[in-house]
Amino acid sequence: MTSFSKDHWLTLKATTRLPNQAWINGQYLDASDAACYDTINPATGELLVATAACTTADVDLAVAAARQTFEAGVWADQAPAQRKAVIRKLAALMMEHREELALLESLNVGKPVMDCYNLDIPGAAGCFEWYAESIDKLYGEVAPTDRNSVATITREPVGVVAAVIPWNFPLDIAAWKLAPALMAGNSVVLKPAEQSPLTALRLAGLAKQAGLPDGVFNVVTGYGEVVGQALGLHMDVDCLTFTGSTAVGKLFMRYSADSNMKQVWPETGGKSPNLIFADCDLDAAVEHAALGIFFNQGEVCSANSRILVASSIYDAFVEKFVAKANAMVVGDPLEAATEVGMLIDSQHAGRVRGFIQQAIDEGAVVACGGLGETDGCQVPPTILTGVNPAMTIAREEVFGPVAAILRFDSEAEAVALANDSVYGLAASVWTSNINCAYRVSRKLRAGTVSINTMDAIDYSVPFGGYKQSGFGRDLSLHAYDKFTQLKTTWLKLG
Ligand code: NAP
Ligand code: MG
């Protein structure tokens, strides 16, 4: 993995312009009432920029631009190979601007800049590349009708797609939505999380440079209660793809029912279990358990936040896991060695501390990290033992670097504990017994089960949840199910 010094990033920062206006119909624009809100670097508290706080009038403008371009066919009617060339160019431009995008992402959300450089930016560019490459390999169907008819089943774009996304992987999640939506021929209005507008706005400029027609991709910045709600309730949005909390995901289903019955695809929260059986490779399990809950400061929807450990190896696991957590480098996101950066803002950090305090109050034991070492937006890797399934820490999503460890005595108990959640996004299973691995995987109510690995994810496989982790799937060719509709064309032969 590449590594750059903090000085390298500070030098780049001195010459990097931070975008702060909305992007509507191919132009950067202030909000219609000129209102702004502060975009803050959580690592330093520094004001980065005053970002446009868009109004419902701005949302109307962006949706109108998306509708107009969609109806005019400037993008939707281009041949797949033409759309492919534009989006491949966008992916290439993102890689050309990899350092700039990594810096923007890290300054904006506090995650380690080298993770942004090595993972987030190539991950997002690769997503555009993958979908660009897929579009001229997708075929329609011919139905088995009688000899006097021909019936084709083709995929058509839905029309105007709105995407409302969170702040934990701003550019990656934007790419997961935008790449298949755009490749399918839709026009898109993106609302980044209020805290994390920078990379989405920079991406918009790069998309124009790549040749995407004006109005096909718009970014409206601002508050969820204003911009998000206006998109959710809009009569001219055909499909709304959402990633965020379960509570807000439910709101979008209501908005749809209260407006035009737009398709809503919620990808929401999680409390994913990590099942560690006695016959596993313990060192590998410990290493990945740490990655599973401390990577990205634990601000990962599929974070393995409930660690279920076989009683016979419980003490050995906890000892090694605590040693691993204590050895992790926490701190300045611009330092190359940093593994755990800053949480998104002080309000969220306070919420995470509140969960730790509540766990202590309910009887959990802090095995490492905890409240004593917290400061500002920083919360150290924290491990709680003595957790039982009724405690809040075993049930609610923390969205921070906090692991709750529970124990089990049998395979059946492990499965029951794992499934004892309103969520079902992901799960991991650690065992050297293939029969146990497969038996357990089949019983787990989760969208992705990783066996002897962690958070298995790739463009080629669907990502999404069971239960209140939402429905619909990001990534893979299945994402096209959200952004296309099926057209039957029946020809009666004369
Ligand atoms: P959030 O509060 O639900 O916000 C998500 C988006 O919805 C933001 O753009 C937000 O705008 C907007 N929003 C908030 N309130 C709204 C309202 N009343 N009406 C319309 N839109 C509204 O989530 P978050 O705190 O940004 O992100 C953390 C959550 O995302 C966690 O629960 C995590 O599990 C989930 N997540 C899920 C996945 C997945 O694929 N399943 C992936 C990543 C994250 P503002 O920013 O202005 O509030
Ligand atoms: Mg929010």
Side-chain angles (χ1 to χ4, degrees), residues 37 163-169 173 176-177 191-196 222-232 242-249 251-252 255 266-270 299-302 344 348 351 397 399 423 425 463-465 469-470 474:
Y37 65 92
V164 178
I165 60 171
W167 42 258
N168 59 335
F169 291 97
I173 294 179
W176 294 7
K177 312 294 192 191
K191 183 221 164 314
E194 157 195 339
Q195 294 95 330
S196 57
Y223 303 114
E225 302 74 29
V226 179
V227 175
Q229 184 178 64
L231 287 168
F242 171 78
T243 294
S245 62
T246 294
V248 177
L251 283 182
F252 276 101
Y255 297 151
E267 298 286 346
T268 51
E299 295 167 324
V300 178
C301 51
S302 51
I344 185 69
H348 181 58
R351 203 174 150 265
E397 182 181 47
F399 222 58
Y423 298 113
L425 191 51
F463 180 84
S469 292
D474 281 324

Side-chain angles (χ1 to χ4, degrees), residues 94 105 111 119-121 123-125 127-128 131 162-181 188 190-193 196 199-200 203 217 241-245 265-268 296 299-302 399 425 457 459 463 474-475 479 482-483:
M94 290 169 75
E105 200 81 309
K111 67 168 83 186
L119 303 170
D120 295 59
I121 309 310
C127 183
F128 281 106
Y131 281 101
V164 178
I165 60 171
W167 42 258
N168 59 335
F169 291 97
L171 192 62
D172 280 3
I173 294 179
W176 294 7
K177 312 294 192 191
L178 287 166
V188 182
L190 173 72
K191 183 221 164 314
S196 57
T199 47
L203 181 72
F217 170 39
T241 172
F242 171 78
T243 294
S245 62
W265 300 105
E267 298 286 346
T268 51
N296 210 54
E299 295 167 324
V300 178
C301 51
S302 51
F399 222 58
L425 191 51
I457 192 167
Y459 309 125
F463 180 84
D474 281 324
L475 300 176
K482 300 194 288 197
F483 303 123

Side-chain angles (χ1 to χ4, degrees), residues 126-272:
C127 183
F128 281 106
E129 181 77 26
W130 195 90
Y131 281 101
E133 285 293 353
S134 76
I135 197 67
D136 57 359
K137 298 161 191 78
L138 289 180
Y139 294 78
E141 299 166 24
V142 180
T145 56
D146 65 67
R147 296 282 295 160
N148 296 324
S149 304
V150 179
T152 60
I153 303 163
T154 48
R155 283 188 182 274
E156 297 194 338
V158 177
V160 175
V161 172
V164 178
I165 60 171
W167 42 258
N168 59 335
F169 291 97
L171 192 62
D172 280 3
I173 294 179
W176 294 7
K177 312 294 192 191
L178 287 166
L182 289 173
M183 286 319 301
N186 298 285
S187 292
V188 182
V189 180
L190 173 72
K191 183 221 164 314
E194 157 195 339
Q195 294 95 330
S196 57
L198 295 186
T199 47
L201 291 173
R202 186 66 187 96
L203 181 72
L206 294 178
K208 181 171 176 128
Q209 202 180 326
L212 193 70
D214 290 350
V216 173
F217 170 39
N218 307 275
V219 184
V220 276
T221 49
Y223 303 114
E225 302 74 29
V226 179
V227 175
Q229 184 178 64
L231 287 168
L233 287 170
H234 209 289
M235 294 301 288
D236 212 19
V237 167
D238 300 300
C239 165
L240 194 140
T241 172
F242 171 78
T243 294
S245 62
T246 294
V248 177
K250 289 180 183 181
L251 283 182
F252 276 101
M253 296 177 75
R254 287 208 191 102
Y255 297 151
S256 170
D258 288 344
S259 56
N260 63 342
M261 243 171 112
K262 60 181 67 64
Q263 296 181 40
V264 172
W265 300 105
E267 298 286 346
T268 51
K271 190 77 192 176
S272 296

Side-chain angles (χ1 to χ4, degrees), residues 9 12-13 16 99-107 113 334:
W9 293 110
L12 180 62
K13 181 175 175 232
T16 299
E99 287 187 31
E100 179 193 354
L101 289 167
L103 179 67
L104 292 182
E105 200 81 309
S106 177
L107 292 175
V113 69
L334 295 185

